[in-house]
């Protein structure tokens, strides 16, 4: 018999017309071994998996092993263009990816700075416009800049992936003002926090803010126990989403008692005029 929870409504993530039950996306790099990667991804419940095209060529054995697993898992493959620095590089790699993997989904990365791996906004917009024209489903990795995100949406991107903080730093949501502004100003486009998430609590916070999903890699792959950490992130994302749907209370400047104060304590309230609770007729306190 299936247990029903009437207070919960169907809550699927829809990206480019495709529905997903999980709101956690994970990468496939940096794991101690392919076996641990496989168990971690399965435990995370992720239905979208990223794969770096430049770092793990599908023509080599390591990349082939991971690619075989992704095909067996039934997950949506999201090839990424990590390491590309120009739109020309990106487009060449994207076309190669579509031919090899048979998917037009693409996580677009155009790196503009080697120190903090910050995306190049100009190259990003140029590449996004051309990839959309060529029929790709583009998910651009970008900063939390409102103008850049607006330009990417106008270029035809149906999903945005602003960073929480630079890739691999684990610093969480560094600029909450910018992120909150993005969410409020662009309410109708799915947004996935990509990069910088280092702890499950940070993922939960992103979901509580109303973001649609979280993508991460290093925080799970570099954990002492990646499989257990994958479970922790799965629960955190689910918890944050449930809290957002439930509606968080507004913050207050001043204290407010959790128990309402209604006049006198009940044991001092009179049952009738001149009589307190517990007194019998004719008795006086």
């Amino acid at each position: 018999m299936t247990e029903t929870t009437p207070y919960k409504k169907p809550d699927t993530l829809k990206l480019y017309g495709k529905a997903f039950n999980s709101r956690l996306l994970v990468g496939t790099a940096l794991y101690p071994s392919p076996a641990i990667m496989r168990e971690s991804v399965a435990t995370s419940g992720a239905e979208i998996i990223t794969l770096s095209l430049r770092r793990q060529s599908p023509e080599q054995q390591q990349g082939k092993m991971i690619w075989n697993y992704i095909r067996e898992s039934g997950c949506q493959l999201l090839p990424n263009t990590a390491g590309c620095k120009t739109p020309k590089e990106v487009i060449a790699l994207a076309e190669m990816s579509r031919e090899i993997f048979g998917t037009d989904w693409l996580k677009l990365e155009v790196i503009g700075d080697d120190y903090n791996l910050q995306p190049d906004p100009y190259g990003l917009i140029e590449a996004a416009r051309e990839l959309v024209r060529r029929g790709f489903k583009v998910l651009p990795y970008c900063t939390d800049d409102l103008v850049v995100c607006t330009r990417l949406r106008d270029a035809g991107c149906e999903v945005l992936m602003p960073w929480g903080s630079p890739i691999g730093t684990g610093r969480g949501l560094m600029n909450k003002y910018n992120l909150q502004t993005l969410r409020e100003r662009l309410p109708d486009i799915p947004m996935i926090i990509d990069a910088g998430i280092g702890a499950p609590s940070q993922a939960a916070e992103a979901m509580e803010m109303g973001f649609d999903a979280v993508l991460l890699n290093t925080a799970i792959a570099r954990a002492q126990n990646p499989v257990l950490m994958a479970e922790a992130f799965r629960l955190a994302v689910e918890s944050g989403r449930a809290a957002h749907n439930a509606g968080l209370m507004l913050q207050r400047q001043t204290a407010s008692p959790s128990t309402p104060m209604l006049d006198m304590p009940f044991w001092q309230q009179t049952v009738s005029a001149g009589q307190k609770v517990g007194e019998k007729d004719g008795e006086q306190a």
Side-chain angles (χ1 to χ4, degrees), residues 18-267:
K18 189 171 182 178
F20 301 92
N21 293 315
S22 173
R23 293 176 178 271
L24 176 60
L25 293 69
V26 297
T28 52
L30 305 177
Y31 287 89
S33 71
I36 293 177
M37 181 275 293
R38 187 170 182 158
E39 188 175 357
S40 300
V41 172
T43 303
S44 74
E47 297 172 302
I48 302 176
I49 301 174
T50 65
L51 177 67
S52 173
L53 295 169
R54 289 172 63 96
R55 294 173 183 159
Q56 299 183 46
S57 169
E59 295 153 345
Q60 299 174 0
Q61 288 302 311
Q62 185 183 17
K64 185 177 180 181
M65 183 183 303
I66 295 174
W67 171 226
N68 286 338
Y69 162 65
I70 294 173
R71 284 193 296 188
E72 293 169 2
S73 71
C75 293
Q76 171 66 54
L77 173 63
L78 182 61
N80 69 64
T81 60
C84 289
K85 295 183 178 180
T86 67
K88 185 177 179 180
E89 282 183 277
V90 164
I91 292 166
L93 200 60
E95 291 291 3
M96 185 187 305
S97 165
R98 182 156 59 182
E99 182 178 345
I100 295 173
F101 296 121
T103 179
D104 50 12
W105 286 55
L106 188 75
K107 180 190 170 189
L108 171 60
E109 294 190 28
V110 184
I111 299 303
D113 183 84
D114 287 333
Y115 180 75
N116 64 4
L117 300 179
Q118 182 170 338
D120 175 351
Y122 307 103
L124 198 63
I125 295 169
E126 179 184 342
R129 189 177 293 120
E130 177 61 21
L131 289 167
V132 169
R133 189 187 70 78
R134 294 179 182 225
F136 284 92
K137 296 178 173 61
V138 182
L139 291 82
Y141 162 64
C142 55
T143 63
D144 49 26
D145 186 288
L146 174 62
V147 176
V148 171
C149 287
T150 303
R151 297 288 185 272
L152 289 168
R153 181 201 59 184
D154 295 344
C157 297
E158 297 183 16
V159 182
L160 299 175
M161 304 180 76
W163 69 1
S165 50
I167 294 174
T169 61
R171 301 178 69 87
L173 309 179
M174 284 206 312
N175 196 329
K176 296 177 186 177
Y177 173 82
N178 275 13
L179 290 171
Q180 194 65 55
T181 300
L182 274 182
R183 186 65 289 179
E184 293 174 359
R185 293 287 298 277
L186 303 174
D188 298 326
I189 187 169
M191 279 194 271
I192 301 168
I193 294 296
D194 178 14
I197 298 296
S201 59
Q202 297 164 353
E205 184 178 20
M207 300 302 296
E208 290 172 359
M209 291 175 68
F211 288 93
D212 298 278
V214 170
L215 189 157
L216 55 94
N217 186 161
T218 307
I220 294 178
R222 291 302 196 198
Q224 294 182 11
N225 187 333
V227 177
L228 184 57
M229 187 61 78
E231 182 180 21
F233 269 104
R234 176 179 61 79
L235 294 172
V237 168
E238 292 175 357
S239 175
R241 180 64 180 179
H244 171 72
N245 288 342
L248 296 170
M249 65 170 284
L250 296 176
Q251 294 186 4
R252 300 171 183 267
Q253 184 64 32
T254 57
S256 176
S258 57
T259 302
M261 301 291 288
L262 298 176
D263 200 18
M264 299 291 287
F266 73 90
W267 60 87

